[in-house]
């Protein structure tokens, strides 16, 4: 882990007088492959030096052609160090505390604080470290360049994939040949197409490559393949060399040296930031550490350094969180992902849009950090970015531009713009270089110089050909040839790489392993992490403990006297439900690979071989007052013998299960072997098989009907018109509301373990029609929190101050009248884009607006957001559906389709989008604002063209404090004048939107000025003017709006019945388009009933068959276990969507819950039929229609009961995980007290008095058992008779007369003999009556079971109505 080692070199020497000038001189006197680059808007410089590599590439930038000034470079690097190391958050707080002191102390404060901050964390000392210590401990550097030539990546596409529906699952299941062919990789798979084609280039150690392109152009694919992640693609052709190693060799031996950081941040949400980084270090801490440092010290210091580098020290003990668990902010979460990536210490790093969600200042800090680390550690760095600023662009050595899978440029960053201008594209001096380069690949954005329209490249093929014919391609070829030759002369470098890679491994790690830690360390680290995940989810932990303890207590209070083991419900071949020797011959082999059956047999042998059973009177035959001589009685229990009431345990086992105690250790050994085998397969398959990630995301579409075809054709015509004429879409906006939103003294406090934490501090502001207001600030400054508060989305914490609409508190219609495009993209995954927008428009626009008008507006939104190609695409989830930027468009579109009457809030609507898409969205927001819409929008990393579209700015700094609120002005002059008057001058060539964040210290750089900007604002005339303006606005709006104010406000735009109809239609469609959900459930039902049916195939009328018939019926109680496991996650996922939509007042709780219940009904009916037919007719149950019909009704009611039970449990619990922890408790209680596992008379009185009666399975089993066994004759087989002798001189008939006269069950085979053969039952009634069942009560039991469905529904509706687990 090279980076971490270098970190610690510096940390170990912390506090030592380090000669930075000497280090700088040493680096600057080395041979250079590239010259110094611009790192900041103020033209700070550093040097990208690559020793021993051919300097054949053009120097960058052009303005430095006169050479490098060592003194200037030293000074610039020292300045860069101060900026990147920054003033820590503690020093910032120290400055704020001192800012109120006298003018005499101000200069001293600044100098002292800056000096102390540098002493605490100096970038140069930390990252460069001490080279001598490297040599002392023998730590070698790892350097690997990457060369790719004729790179071609193929995937499946070209054929539109249509979404699968429920009937399609049957076709797929029964299409065995097609399934097998697909598994073998043959047959129809769609059309293969080129994702990337003709890529070639080289990246040397110490170089940073910027990858630019529009979304879906192939940037992500290139980054994955260049980091050697090839899974998921059909073919990868061409040469990719990592130093001298080809891709296959590098993957086999050095897989961890090339890593890819994905765009989305995926973490365990319940772990803290420190624990997340700590786990990464547990598995990546090198074996050889500088200064003989211990693993513990190394781990702690690296974590501290990373947190300081990214200015997130305050998050150390805060949970990471996710979209459903409150934690750190989105920008802070992104920084955790970056820090985790850096811990890998890899030689080749690919970063996919890693600045998404970061503010401009932090994004620049991140780019600078990559630059410094790349320089010092000689890593090979690839980065794709959207909306990169000029300052960020200047950090890179080379830029690759991709258009539709073709490499259309690869060369020095300082020459790229000139190259495209030379091709004939129009010069755009106000546009940043990354935007300009990407724009040249966009048919809607690119413009040509006069007279060049016919000659300049116009598509990806012509652009690629132009590059092939260019001088840059020739230079690249020469450079690649020189590099290949150089590989032969640098064997020592790669020998060092191999040694360094090996020495980075911990002790006991095999040399051939691609991991840094040995297997046992990995297991230990994962165990620790899993423990923390469990421990920190306290609610889940408590529920699981309570469930386990309750079950244990209940089992202890009802333990059987004649048996020890509770019946197993799930596995028929375990040997209890049907004995091994009585199973179908073709199923017996399963016993030997059935760990449950082997375990059951082992436990039974171990228990019963040491005990003897004693028959009590009820188990003796004959029994009664006249039968007192045991010599003429027999025990009816298995293993019993005539003339004895004692049954040896081994006899019971042999007679009942055919178990031999001598096989106990054999069975135990088989279990151990099975466990070892399963663990081995888990490890091997988990290592070899890759699921999900990788490749190209597949998009599915709904099949076009006539209406959608016409709509799509119209959209395409509109798009072509825009492209040809360059005109804007002509939507006719009609926004009549003139309402103004104001907020004063706004505060927000949340509970924390130490008390209350204030996230917003006395914020003032307003949003009025006709003005587009931007909300900006550092990551974690409280921007999303402020939007949540203003949009009335918070339900945790305390909100202070006033939020008013037209001078009065918002009414019940406020949330309906506002739209809030949140940062996280949560949608019904089975909807198409058009359907999602129509759903929003239908429920959230006024009911009086016609459907045609609503749908027409939806088409305008689709056109505006350039979603014509995906209008009928299924949204899906991030793994299989729309891409990240496409999902962001849908989120915005859903809120725009609502056509809010009052306000439109948008949280980072441009994050993850390319510059042109971001500009189009902001342009449309500008148009909405001009039409009278109130808009408040957070925005990150806006370029100058984007920023100038906004009228007003609310700027926050960390801690939720206001820095500025007011007009921006033309060219941001009003904003910049405010900063100038308070001691901060913006350079003329800087982007004000980026500079102002640097000025207030949003990133790692120290703020400009000696006073806290929050305090400056609090004492400013601008704040006083804002307060006066708010007062005036309230007075004016109360006068104007008071007379027209609605006396009755509607909380929802549409009536309840309409909500039910619309939501119901969507829910049914969602189930229809979820074939796996319905078919998996049906398959489980049919499979369970078929296995059970064939296990008990065509039962006869023997004594043992009575028990087997009950066991068959008992299988109906397994249904809830299957159903709950599917219904609960479905409900939970649907509820997450409901939380978002209900917050917007789209529909009430009743339509949501009712929709889920009704949507389950058709599938429940199908599953009930699929379960009933095999289960009933294969074992040979009674075929009379009145018996079969009753049994089917019981199965159907059980199915519906299980579905509503699962939904009820989900409604009462915060997540499907918690719900599933409740399931064992519910299932075991139901099974334990229904009268089968423990006969009703033997249930302890306390439980029998109430729990037995309240158990739904009591009614299920009671009704089905009596219906099946009533009137069924019993004929014992030869081995089922109990044999005993009658007293001398008596026949069996005479001897048993009194027994039968007293109501004794059963019959004697031959009454005339003295050797009596007794069958315990003569009719089925005699079997179930001792269990407390009665045939006369069967319809009553059916009605009670149906009533349980009603009780489930009551608790379901109450829980969903009054329990809100969406804490935010």
């Amino acid at each position: 882990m090279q980076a971490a080692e270098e970190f610690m070199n510096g940390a170990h020497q912390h506090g030592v007088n380090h000669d930075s000038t000497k280090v700088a001189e040493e680096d600057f006197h080395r041979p250079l492959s590239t010259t110094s680059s611009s790192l900041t808007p103020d033209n700070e410089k550093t040097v990208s030096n690559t020793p021993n590599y051919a300097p054949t590439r053009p120097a960058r930038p052009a303005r430095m052609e006169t050479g490098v000034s060592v003194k200037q470079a030293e000074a610039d690097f020292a300045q860069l160090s101060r900026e990147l190391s920054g003033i820590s958050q503690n020093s910032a707080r120290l400055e704020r505390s001192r800012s109120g002191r006298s003018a005499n102390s101000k200069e001293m404060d600044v100098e002292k604080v800056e000096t102390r901050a540098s002493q605490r964390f100096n970038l140069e000392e930390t990252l460069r470290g001490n080279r001598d210590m490297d040599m002392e401990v023998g730590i070698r550097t790892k350097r690997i360049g990457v060369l790719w030539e004729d790179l071609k990546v193929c995937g499946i596409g070209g054929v539109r994939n249509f979404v699968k529906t429920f009937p399609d699952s049957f076709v797929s299941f029964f299409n065995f040949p097609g399934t097998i062919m697909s598994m073998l990789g043959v047959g129809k798979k769609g059309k293969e197409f080129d994702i990337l084609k003709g890529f070639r280039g080289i990246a040397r150690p110490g170089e940073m490559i910027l990858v630019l392109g529009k979304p879906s152009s192939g940037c992500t694919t290139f980054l994955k393949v260049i980091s050697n992640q090839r899974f998921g693609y059909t073919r990868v052709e061409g040469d990719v060399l990592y130093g001298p190693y080809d891709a296959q060799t590098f993957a086999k031996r050095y897989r961890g040296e090339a890593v890819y950081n994905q765009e989305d941040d995926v973490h365990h949400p319940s772990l803290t930031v420190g624990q997340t980084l700590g786990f990464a270090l547990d598995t990546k801490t090198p074996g050889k550490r500088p200064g003989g440092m211990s693993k513990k010290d190394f781990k702690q210091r690296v974590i501290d350094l990373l947190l300081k580098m990214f200015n997130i020290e305050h998050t150390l003990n805060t949970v990471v969180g996710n979209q459903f668990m409150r934690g750190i902010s989105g920008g802070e979460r992104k920084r955790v992902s970056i820090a985790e990536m850096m811990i890998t210490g890899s030689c080749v790093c690919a970063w996919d849009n890693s600045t998404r969600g970061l503010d401009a200042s932090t994004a620049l800090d991140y780019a600078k950090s990559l630059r410094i680390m790349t320089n010092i550690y000689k890593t090979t760095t690839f980065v794709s970015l959207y909306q990169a600023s000029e300052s960020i662009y200047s950090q890179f050595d080379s830029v690759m531009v991709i258009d539709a899978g073709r490499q259309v440029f690869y060369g020095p960053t300082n020459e790229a713009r000139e190259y495209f201008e030379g091709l004939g594209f129009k010069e755009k001096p106000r546009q940043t270089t990354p935007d300009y380069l990407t724009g040249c690949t966009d048919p809607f954005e690119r413009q040509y110089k006069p007279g060049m329209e016919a000659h300049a490249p116009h598509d990806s093929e012509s652009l690629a050909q132009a590059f092939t014919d260019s001088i840059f391609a020739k230079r690249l070829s020469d450079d690649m040839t020189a590099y290949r030759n150089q590989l032969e002369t640098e064997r020592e470098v790669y020998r060092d790489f191999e040694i360094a890679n090996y020495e980075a491994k911990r002790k006991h790690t095999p040399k051939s392993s691609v991991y840094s830690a040995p297997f046992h360390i990995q297991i230990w680290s994962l165990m620790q992490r899993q423990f923390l995940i469990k421990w920190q989810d306290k609610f889940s932990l408590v529920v699981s403990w309570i469930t386990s303890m309750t079950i244990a207590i209940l089992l202890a209070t009802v333990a059987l006297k004649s048996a020890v083991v509770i019946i197993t419900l799930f596995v028929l071949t375990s040997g209890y439900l049907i004995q091994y020797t009585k199973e179908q011959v073709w199923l017996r082999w399963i016993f030997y690979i059935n760990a449950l059956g082997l375990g059951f047999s082992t436990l039974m042998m171990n228990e019963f071989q040491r005990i003897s059973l004693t028959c009590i009177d009820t188990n003796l035959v004959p029994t009664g007052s006249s039968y007192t001589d045991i010599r003429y009685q027999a025990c009816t229990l298995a293993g019993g013998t005539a003339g004895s009431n004692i049954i040896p345990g081994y006899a019971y086992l042999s007679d009942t299960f055919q178990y031999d105690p001598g096989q106990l250790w054999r069975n135990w050994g088989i279990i151990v072997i099975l466990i070892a085998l399963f663990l081995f397969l888990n490890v091997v398959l988990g290592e070899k098989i890759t699921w999900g990630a990788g490749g190209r995301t597949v998009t599915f579409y709904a099949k076009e009907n006539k209406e959608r075809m016409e709509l799509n054709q119209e959209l395409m015509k509109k798009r072509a018109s825009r492209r040809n004429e360059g005109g804007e879409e002509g939507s006719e906006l009609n926004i009549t509301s003139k309402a103004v939103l104001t907020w004063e003294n706004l505060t927000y406090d949340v509970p924390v373990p130490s008390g209350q934490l204030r996230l917003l501090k006395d914020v003032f502001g307003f949003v009025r029609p006709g003005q587009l207001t931007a909300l900006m600030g550092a990551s974690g400054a409280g921007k999303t929190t402020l939007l949540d508060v203003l949009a009335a989305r918070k339900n945790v914490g305390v909100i202070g101050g006033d939020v008013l609409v037209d001078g009065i508190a918002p009414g019940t219609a406020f949330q309906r009248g506002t739209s809030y495009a949140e940062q996280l993209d949560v949608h019904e995954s089975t909807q198409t884009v058009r359907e999602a927008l129509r759903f929003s428009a239908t429920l959230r626009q006024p009911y009086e607006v016609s459907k045609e008008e609503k749908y027409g507006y939806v088409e305008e939104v689709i056109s505006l957001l350039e979603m014509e190609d995906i209008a009928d695409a299924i949204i899906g989830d991030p793994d299989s559906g729309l891409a990240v930027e496409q999902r962001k468009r849908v989120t915005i579109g859903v809120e725009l389709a609502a056509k809010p009457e009052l306000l439109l809030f948008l949280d980072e609507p441009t994050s993850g989008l390319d510059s042109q898409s971001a500009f189009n969205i902001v342009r449309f927001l500008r148009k909405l604002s001009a039409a009278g819409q109130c808009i408040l929008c957070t925005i990150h990393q806006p370029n100058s063209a984007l920023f100038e579209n906004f009228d007003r700015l609310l700027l926050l700094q960390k801690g939720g404090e206001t820095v500025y609120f007011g007009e921006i002005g033309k060219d941001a002059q009003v904003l910049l004048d405010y900063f100038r008057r308070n001691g901060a001058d913006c350079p003329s060539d800087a982007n004000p939107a980026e500079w102002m964040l640097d000025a207030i210290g949003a990133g790692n750089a120290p703020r400009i000025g000696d006073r806290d900007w929050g305090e400056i604002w609090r004492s400013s005339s601008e704040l006083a003017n804002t307060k006066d303006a708010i007062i005036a606005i309230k007075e004016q709006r109360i006068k104007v709006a008071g007379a027209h104010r609605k006396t009755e406000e509607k909380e929802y735009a549409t009536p309840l019945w309409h909500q039910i109809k619309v939501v119901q239609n969507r829910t049914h469609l969602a189930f229809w388009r979820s074939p796996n959900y319905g078919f998996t459930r049906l398959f489980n039902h049919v499979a369970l009933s078929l296995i059970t049916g064939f296990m008990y195939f065509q039962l006869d009328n023997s004594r043992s068959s009575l028990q087997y018939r009950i066991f068959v019926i008992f299988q109906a109680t397994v249904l809830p276990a299957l159903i709950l496991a599917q219904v609960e996650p479905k409900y939970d996922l649907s509820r997450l969507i409901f939380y978002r939509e209900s917050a917007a007042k789209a529909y009430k709780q009743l339509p949501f819950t009712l929709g889920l219940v009704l949507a389950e009904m058709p599938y429940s009916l199908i599953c009930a039929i699929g379960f009933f037919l095999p289960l009933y007719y294969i074992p040979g149950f009674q075929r009379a229609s009145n018996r079969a019909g009753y049994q089917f009704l019981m199965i159907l009611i059980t199915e519906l009961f299980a579905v509503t039970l699962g939904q009820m449990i989900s409604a009462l619990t915060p997540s499907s995980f918690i719900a599933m922890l409740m399931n064992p408790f519910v299932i075991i209680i139901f099974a334990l007290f229904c009268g089968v596992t423990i006969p009703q008379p033997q249930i302890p009185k306390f439980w029998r008095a109430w729990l037995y009666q309240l158990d739904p399975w009591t009614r299920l089993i009671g009704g089905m058992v009596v219906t099946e066994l009533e009137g069924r004759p019993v004929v014992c087989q030869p081995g089922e008779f109990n044999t005993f002798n009658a007293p001398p001189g008596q026949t069996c008939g005479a001897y048993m007369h009194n027994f039968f006269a007293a109501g004794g069950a059963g019959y004697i085979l031959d009454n005339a003999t003295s050797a009596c053969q007794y069958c315990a039952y003569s009719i089925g009634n005699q079997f179930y009556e001792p269990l407390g069942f009665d045939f006369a009560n069967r319809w009553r039991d059916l009605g009670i079971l149906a009533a349980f469905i009603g009780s489930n529904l009551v608790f379901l509706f109450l829980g969903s109505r009054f329990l809100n687990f969406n804490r935010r």
Side-chain angles (χ1 to χ4, degrees), residues 98-111 1010:
R98 295 183 177 182
S99 59
R101 297 185 180 180
S102 65
N104 294 333
S105 65
K106 288 179 182 177
E107 184 175 351
M108 177 192 67
D109 287 343
V110 176
E111 293 176 353
D1010 59 345

Side-chain angles (χ1 to χ4, degrees), residues 186-200:
V186 297
K188 183 179 180 181
K189 296 184 295 184
K191 180 182 178 182
E192 187 178 70
F193 76 110
D194 298 336
I195 303 174
L196 302 179
K197 180 182 178 182
F199 278 58
R200 55 197 300 268

Side-chain angles (χ1 to χ4, degrees), residues 1223-1270:
N1223 293 347
F1225 172 77
V1226 173
I1227 297 299
I1228 290 177
I1229 294 300
F1230 285 177
L1232 201 57
F1233 294 98
C1234 68
V1236 174
T1237 309
I1238 311 170
Q1240 185 255 5
Q1242 298 178 23
I1243 297 176
K1245 186 176 180 180
F1246 174 77
W1247 304 116
R1248 186 172 67 243
W1250 65 279
L1251 193 51
Y1252 171 79
Q1253 302 297 335
L1254 290 176
D1255 190 339
W1257 292 172
T1258 299
R1259 312 305 167 184
L1260 170 66
I1261 300 298
M1264 294 189 71
V1265 166
V1266 299
T1267 301
E1268 172 57 25
L1269 298 186
E1270 170 69 23

Side-chain angles (χ1 to χ4, degrees), residues 534-553:
K534 294 280 189 182
W535 181 253
Q536 289 172 191
D537 192 353
K538 293 292 193 300
F539 189 85
S540 302
L541 193 64
V542 170
V543 170
S544 63
W545 281 349
I546 293 175
T547 299
S548 300
M549 289 188 291
T550 305
I551 291 174
I553 293 171

Side-chain angles (χ1 to χ4, degrees), residues 527-644:
M527 286 175 58
Q528 288 179 303
R529 184 178 70 171
Q530 193 62 31
F531 174 81
L532 290 172
I533 292 172
K534 294 280 189 182
W535 181 253
Q536 289 172 191
D537 192 353
K538 293 292 193 300
F539 189 85
S540 302
L541 193 64
V542 170
V543 170
S544 63
W545 281 349
I546 293 175
T547 299
S548 300
M549 289 188 291
T550 305
I551 291 174
I553 293 171
L554 289 171
L555 292 179
T557 61
V558 298
L560 296 176
K561 296 178 182 178
S562 59
V564 177
V565 183
I566 298 300
I567 189 172
T568 177
L569 303 177
F570 306 110
V571 183
L572 294 168
T573 56
S574 64
Y576 182 81
L577 294 178
I578 184 170
Q579 287 69 48
Y580 169 77
T581 55
K582 296 181 180 179
E583 291 179 3
Q584 301 295 328
V585 176
W586 48 275
L587 285 174
R588 293 182 185 178
W589 64 272
I590 298 177
F591 177 81
Y592 295 101
I593 60 170
N594 183 349
L596 185 59
L598 292 167
F600 173 72
S601 67
T602 302
L603 290 172
M604 292 291 285
M605 293 176 201
N606 186 63
E607 180 67 19
F608 279 86
Q609 70 177 348
R610 64 180 180 82
I611 65 173
S612 295
L613 306 177
T614 301
C615 268
I616 60 176
D617 288 346
T618 54
N619 297 120
L620 292 173
V621 63
T623 185
S625 58
S626 58
Y627 302 99
T628 58
D629 192 342
I630 191 62
R631 293 178 299 168
Y632 307 110
Q633 293 176 296
C635 183
T636 56
L637 294 179
T641 57
S644 174

Side-chain angles (χ1 to χ4, degrees), residues 26 217 272 296 364 446 480 557 617 659 689 775 831 925 998 1033 1128 1135 1155 1183 1285 1346:
E26 179 184 346
S217 63
T272 66
K296 181 179 179 181
L364 179 57
R446 60 185 170 217
M480 292 171 68
T557 61
D617 288 346
Y659 290 160
I689 298 178
L775 173 57
Q831 280 187 303
L925 295 180
D998 290 333
I1033 289 171
E1128 288 167 348
R1135 180 169 58 183
R1183 301 198 175 200
N1285 293 321

Side-chain angles (χ1 to χ4, degrees), residues 955 963 972-988 992 995-1001 1006-1011 1013 1016:
L955 181 61
V963 169
Q973 287 304 313
V974 177
L975 170 66
L976 297 181
D977 180 65
Y978 173 80
F979 278 94
R980 187 180 303 109
R981 285 187 281 107
N982 290 284
D985 288 321
C986 177
S988 59
W995 174 84
M996 69 181 182
L997 294 176
D998 290 333
I1000 67 172
R1007 68 169 181 243
I1008 299 176
D1010 59 345
R1011 292 181 61 199
W1013 286 98
I1016 293 174

